């Protein structure tokens, strides 16, 4: 089932401000919260859907990528990965929405306001060839991440009694105000270390190397960031693991240049080949192809191979391969060759006679970008 537009999910326009997006999400979260809709699977799905939409639209970088590429920008685990989050994940992700005096919606039915700690994210850069970008690829990357050290045990924090929150009541001019904040002893985890092995750090974690498989969709661009959920550093106790943020880098191709979804190729042909016509084998991102060069071809002519470019990240087809013909003029001639061309100076067949189909340089550039 296709995902709904995130703006539609929250009921806001594309130009909505950050505060309007936050307000709209809070309204949806209250409407569909499981405490208000017990045993209602549809409401739970909408609650998670709203959380996924807010996770993207509340982040300026993710919002910009979503506005440009749509759901395709996060198809490798971005957002909440299709609703796979549980309620603790959502509460821990958006403490500013559910935490504090709001009590994690506990007022609706005692659902509890404990927020699970989340491990830190890891950022890695992955270099891709144009061929890998054009076809999509699965990369296996070795990463060093913090995991719970075997043998580490935890116990309930006595300060917050496992809730991860401490409540304070203060007298103000407006009356008695109750506020909640993360427990300063357990850091909001609700648990503290009971026992840990010697090679674990103060949080009961240790560094381990792990091979992570990353599926990269076709059409990604330089600087795009994908997310692999739950493969970052783990958190102590009952916390949830962070994510791996994968930053895309493009390797320079020795013959092809990328421009959006289109590719450019410089084809050099000899003067005799330009006069008589020929066929040439050229590189594409899907292998070599042979193209025909018509007799009398002019330098600067652009041959367009449709669909031989890069697939659109939005799934709207493929770009083209633009072959730029460059007639190579010889720089040195022997006496016989020089005599031939001298004799052709006044020949009418060698007189420039551009036709309407022989477009100027500026017209070719205009066509190339249209």
């Amino acid at each position: 089932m296709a995902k709904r537009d995130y703006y539609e999910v929250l009921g806001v326009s594309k130009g909505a401000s950050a505060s309007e997006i936050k307000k709209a999400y809070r309204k949806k979260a209250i409407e569909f919260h499981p405490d208000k809709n017990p045993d209602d699977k549809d409401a739970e799905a909408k609650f998670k859907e709203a959380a996924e939409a807010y996770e993207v639209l509340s982040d300026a970088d993710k919002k910009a990528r979503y506005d440009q590429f749509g759901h395709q920008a996060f198809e490798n685990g971005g957002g909440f990965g299709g609703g796979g989050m549980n309620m603790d994940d959502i509460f821990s992700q958006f403490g500013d929405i559910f935490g504090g005096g709001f009590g994690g919606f506990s007022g609706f039915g005692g659902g509890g306001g404990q927020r699970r700690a989340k491990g830190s994210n890891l950022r890695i850069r992955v270099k891709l060839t144009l061929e890998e970008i054009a076809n999509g690829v699965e990369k296996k990357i070795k990463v060093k991440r913090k995991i719970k050290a075997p043998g580490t045990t935890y116990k309930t924090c006595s300060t917050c009694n496992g809730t991860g929150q401490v409540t304070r009541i203060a007298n103000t001019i407006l009356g008695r105000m109750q506020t909640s904040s993360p427990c300063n002893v357990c850091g909001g985890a609700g648990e503290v270390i009971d026992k840990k092995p010697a090679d674990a750090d103060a949080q009961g974690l240790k560094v381990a190397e792990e091979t992570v498989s990353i599926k990269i969709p076709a059409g990604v661009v330089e600087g795009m960031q994908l997310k692999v959920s739950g493969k970052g550093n783990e958190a102590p106790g009952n916390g949830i693991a962070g994510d791996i943020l994968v930053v895309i880098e493009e390797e320079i191709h020795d013959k092809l240049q990328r421009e959006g979804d289109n590719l450019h190729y410089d084809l050099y042909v000899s003067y005799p080949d330009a006069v008589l016509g020929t066929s040439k084998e050229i590189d594409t991102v899907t292998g070599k192809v042979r193209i025909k060069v018509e007799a009398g071809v002019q330098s600067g002519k652009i041959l367009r191979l449709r669909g031989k470019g890069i697939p659109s990240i939005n799934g709207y087809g493929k770009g083209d391969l633009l072959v730029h013909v460059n007639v190579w003029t010889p720089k040195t001639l022997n006496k016989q060759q020089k005599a031939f061309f001298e004799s052709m100076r006044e020949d009418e067949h060698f007189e420039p006679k551009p036709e309407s189909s022989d477009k100027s340089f500026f017209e070719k550039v205009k066509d190339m970008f249209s």
Side-chain angles (χ1 to χ4, degrees):
M1 181 178 176
K3 287 186 178 182
R4 285 203 298 156
D5 179 77
Y6 286 150
Y7 293 99
E8 179 186 338
V9 170
L10 297 184
V12 296
S13 67
K14 198 169 184 178
S17 65
S19 61
E20 289 173 333
I21 291 173
K22 184 174 182 177
K23 182 178 180 181
Y25 170 53
R26 187 181 175 96
K27 181 179 179 181
K28 293 289 183 181
I30 292 174
E31 179 182 356
F32 297 116
H33 191 274
D35 282 352
K36 291 187 66 178
N37 304 273
D39 301 321
D40 187 336
K41 294 297 183 182
D42 183 58
E44 182 179 335
K46 289 180 178 179
F47 179 76
K48 293 180 180 180
E49 182 184 45
E52 178 178 345
Y54 181 71
E55 194 264 351
V56 171
L57 300 184
S58 63
D59 183 291
D61 178 59
K62 293 178 182 178
K63 183 177 183 295
R65 285 187 284 129
Y66 177 73
D67 289 344
Q68 184 175 6
F69 301 110
H71 292 298
Q72 291 282 344
F74 307 99
E75 71 173 18
N76 193 70
F80 284 140
M85 294 286 283
N86 59 41
M87 296 307 162
D88 284 338
D89 292 329
I90 295 174
F91 290 144
S92 68
Q93 190 83 355
F94 308 124
D96 61 327
I97 298 290
F98 301 117
F102 211 43
F105 288 106
S106 59
F108 288 140
Q114 179 181 346
R115 297 183 298 171
R116 296 167 64 188
K118 184 175 182 180
S120 58
N121 294 334
L122 298 175
R123 183 187 294 267
I124 62 174
R125 294 184 177 273
V126 174
K127 288 188 176 183
L128 302 176
T129 65
L130 274 181
E131 288 80 5
E132 289 173 330
I133 290 172
N135 299 293
V137 66
E138 183 172 351
K139 290 280 189 178
K140 294 187 182 297
I141 306 295
K142 287 185 177 181
V143 297
K144 290 184 177 179
R145 57 191 293 253
K146 289 185 176 181
I147 64 170
K148 296 184 183 71
T152 301
T153 59
Y154 299 86
K155 61 183 179 181
T156 301
C157 175
S158 59
T159 302
C160 64
N161 293 321
T163 64
Q165 301 282 310
V166 289
T167 302
R168 296 179 176 84
I169 298 177
N171 293 315
T172 71
I173 58 174
L174 298 176
R176 291 169 63 84
M177 301 289 291
Q178 177 177 304
T179 61
S180 297
S181 60
C183 176
N184 61 342
V185 174
C186 64
E191 295 180 327
V192 294
I193 289 179
D194 181 26
K195 298 177 182 178
K196 68 181 183 69
D199 61 346
D201 63 15
Q203 294 181 309
L205 305 175
K206 61 182 293 185
V207 176
E209 187 173 76
E210 182 177 332
T211 299
V212 177
S213 181
I214 303 171
K215 291 183 178 179
I216 300 174
V220 293
V221 297
E222 173 85 19
M224 179 177 283
Q225 184 172 282
L226 307 176
K227 184 173 77 172
V228 183
S229 300
K231 289 298 183 179
N233 291 322
E234 292 187 352
N238 66 350
I240 56 177
D243 307 317
I244 292 180
L245 306 179
V246 182
V247 181
I248 301 298
E249 290 186 356
E250 275 186 28
E251 290 185 358
I252 296 175
H253 197 282
D254 59 344
K255 294 181 180 179
L256 296 169
Q257 289 187 332
R258 182 180 182 181
E259 180 194 33
D261 293 337
N262 291 331
L263 296 173
H264 297 269
Y265 183 97
D266 277 317
L267 174 64
Y268 290 89
V269 297
S270 67
Y271 196 80
D273 282 342
V275 172
L276 302 173
T278 185
S279 64
K280 291 286 185 179
E281 191 177 69
I282 66 170
D283 291 316
T284 74
V285 288
T286 55
K288 293 184 180 294
V289 298
R290 183 166 289 276
I291 62 172
K292 184 179 181 180
V293 179
E294 299 286 350
V297 68
Q298 300 299 313
S299 190
K301 184 175 181 60
I302 299 174
L303 307 177
R304 184 183 292 266
L305 304 184
R306 298 196 177 275
K308 292 294 184 180
I310 302 293
S312 168
I313 190 69
N314 288 319
Y316 302 142
K318 292 184 177 181
D320 302 327
L321 173 57
L322 305 174
V323 181
H324 302 260
V325 178
N326 301 284
V327 178
W328 184 262
T329 304
K331 296 180 180 180
T332 59
L333 298 173
N334 59 32
K335 288 184 179 181
Q336 183 181 3
Q337 293 165 338
K338 189 172 183 180
F340 169 77
F341 283 107
E342 286 285 359
S343 67
M344 293 296 108
R345 278 186 184 275
E346 305 302 325
D347 191 288
E348 64 175 348
H349 292 94
F350 281 78
E351 284 291 324
K353 296 177 182 178
E355 300 175 352
S356 59
S357 59
D358 298 319
K359 298 181 179 179
S360 69
F361 170 79
F362 295 104
E363 289 175 318
K364 291 174 184 175
V365 171
K366 182 179 179 181
D367 288 346
M368 186 172 64
F369 287 99
S370 63

